[in-house]
Amino acid sequence: MPNITLKGKVIITGEIEAVTGLHIGGAAAGLDIGGIDNPIIRHPVTREPYIPGSSLRGKMRSLLDRHFGNDVNKFIQRREPVVRVHECETEDAYATCAVCQIFGVTPGDQRRQWTQLKPTRLLVRDVMLAKGHEATERLRRAKTDLPFTEVKWEAVIDRITSAAVPRQNERVPAGAVFAPLELVYSLYDLNGTGCQADIDWLQHVFKAMELLEDDYVGGYGSRGAGKIAFTNVTVTFKSHDYYQGTGTVLMLDQNRKIGELQPSRYAQSIQQAVGGTQ
C-alpha cells in the first residue's frame, strides 16, 4: 500500500512591494457606464486590490520552466490564444524534474497511473493590500482615479495615418505594499524513501522568486508594469515533531531581501531537524 508521510513545512513570509504600476486583470466592466476597459482584480468584500496566489505561483512555475528549458508539451487551450505548459509525461522524467515535483502534476487517468501519490509541494496564498501599513494609508489618502488605483491611458498608433486608438488600463500605483506574503513548502517521505530530494529542491523556490523579481507579474510587463520586490522575507521550518507537540519552530532567516537569502545554508539545518524522523 502506498504511503506518504509529512516530514515538515518550510514557511516563507514577507511583503511584496509594487516597484512599478501593477495590473492583474479582473472581470471586464464593459457593462458599466464609464467603466474602465481593463480593470484589475479586487477583493469582493473590501474592493481593495490584491495579488492572487495563482498569479504568483503560475508565473514562478513558468519562469522556472524557462530557466530549466523544459518542453512545452501540454495544451491548456487549443483555440486562440493557444496556451501551453510543461508537464512530465512519464514517471522517469518526473523523477528528475524539479518543477513538476515542486508545483505538482494533474491527477492521472488510465494512461497516467504513475501520477498517483505525487503530491504538490508548494502552495502560495493570496496576498492582500497590507493592513495598517504606511504605504496603504498613503494610498488611501491619495486622490487616485479609482479607489486605490490609477488609470493609465495607452494608445495604438496607425503606422500610416498616425490615427490613435486609446485604451484604459487600471493599475495599482508604484509603492503599494501587499502583505502578508505566505508560501508553504512541504517535505514528504514517499514510501519510506526519505525527504532529501525535497530539501534539495527547496532552493528552486527561492530561485523562482528571484526570477520573478527580474521579470513581472500581471499584464503589460513589456510596457513597464508589474515589477515587484520581495521584502522582509522570513524563512522558518516546522518539523514533524513540531506538529506532534514536541518540537519548536526553526528560524532559518529573517527580514531579508531575496538577494540576501542563503538557501544553501538552510538544507543542513532542515536535515538536522528531520534527522530523527527521516
Side-chain angles (χ1 to χ4, degrees):
M1 180 68 69
N3 175 269
I4 178 170
T5 305
L6 176 68
K7 307 301 288 186
K9 291 179 178 288
V10 178
I11 300 172
I12 305 165
T13 60
E15 299 176 344
I16 296 177
E17 179 184 353
V19 179
T20 65
L22 184 63
H23 174 93
I24 298 180
L31 296 179
D32 296 338
I33 296 175
I36 197 166
D37 297 332
N38 298 305
I40 64 162
I41 190 167
R42 291 176 181 269
H43 189 285
V45 176
T46 66
R47 305 305 299 165
E48 294 178 356
Y50 73 101
I51 303 176
S54 58
S55 297
L56 290 172
R57 191 176 184 280
K59 194 58 184 283
M60 289 169 63
R61 179 170 191 160
S62 171
L63 291 169
L64 268 188
D65 276 332
R66 292 184 186 179
H67 176 74
F68 289 116
N70 289 337
D71 295 336
V72 181
N73 56 355
K74 179 179 179 180
F75 282 87
I76 300 298
Q77 178 172 289
R78 291 183 181 274
R79 57 181 169 79
E80 295 294 334
V82 175
V83 178
R84 294 160 293 188
V85 300
H86 165 76
E87 191 170 284
C88 289
E89 295 179 336
T90 67
E91 190 166 16
D92 287 343
Y94 173 84
T96 58
C97 179
V99 177
C100 286
Q101 297 270 356
I102 294 170
F103 293 92
V105 291
T106 52
D109 52 26
Q110 293 296 323
R111 297 165 298 175
R112 285 163 52 92
Q113 289 293 326
W114 66 269
T115 57
Q116 295 183 6
L117 201 65
K118 300 295 187 294
T120 297
R121 270 70 172 183
L122 182 68
L123 65 87
V124 183
R125 304 197 194 282
D126 294 343
V127 193
M128 306 301 168
L129 205 59
K131 289 183 179 178
H133 196 285
E134 183 274 336
T136 302
E137 296 308 312
R138 186 174 65 245
L139 188 57
R140 195 185 301 277
R141 294 191 302 270
K143 295 179 180 179
T144 49
D145 301 300
L146 294 168
F148 302 101
T149 62
E150 62 181 344
V151 174
K152 182 175 182 293
W153 284 85
E154 296 183 353
V156 178
I157 308 295
D158 185 281
R159 302 309 192 256
I160 305 237
T161 66
S162 296
V165 178
R167 61 190 174 202
Q168 304 164 311
N169 297 325
E170 185 180 17
R171 306 196 316 179
V172 180
V177 174
F178 297 83
L181 163 75
E182 186 175 79
L183 287 72
V184 181
Y185 180 83
S186 298
L187 309 179
Y188 292 114
D189 179 338
L190 304 181
N191 296 320
T193 56
C195 61
Q196 185 58 51
D198 287 355
I199 296 174
D200 294 338
W201 281 318
L202 172 62
Q203 62 178 308
H204 299 311
V205 175
F206 297 101
K207 186 191 301 293
M209 295 174 72
E210 185 172 10
L211 288 168
L212 184 53
E213 278 196 345
D214 292 335
D215 206 275
Y216 64 90
V217 65
Y220 315 116
S222 65
R223 301 199 291 277
K227 179 175 176 58
I228 63 169
F230 296 103
T231 58
N232 294 319
V233 178
T234 293
V235 186
T236 58
F237 178 65
K238 296 180 178 179
S239 67
H240 181 275
D241 289 343
Y242 169 84
Y243 292 106
Q244 289 279 75
T246 58
T248 59
V249 177
L250 177 63
M251 179 64 69
L252 299 173
D253 229 328
Q254 194 169 14
N255 297 330
R256 305 282 189 180
K257 297 179 181 178
I258 286 296
E260 298 171 343
L261 298 174
Q262 300 181 31
S264 59
R265 188 168 54 82
Y266 308 156
Q268 184 176 2
S269 299
I270 294 173
Q271 287 164 352
Q272 292 174 349
V274 301
T277 56
Q278 276 275 44

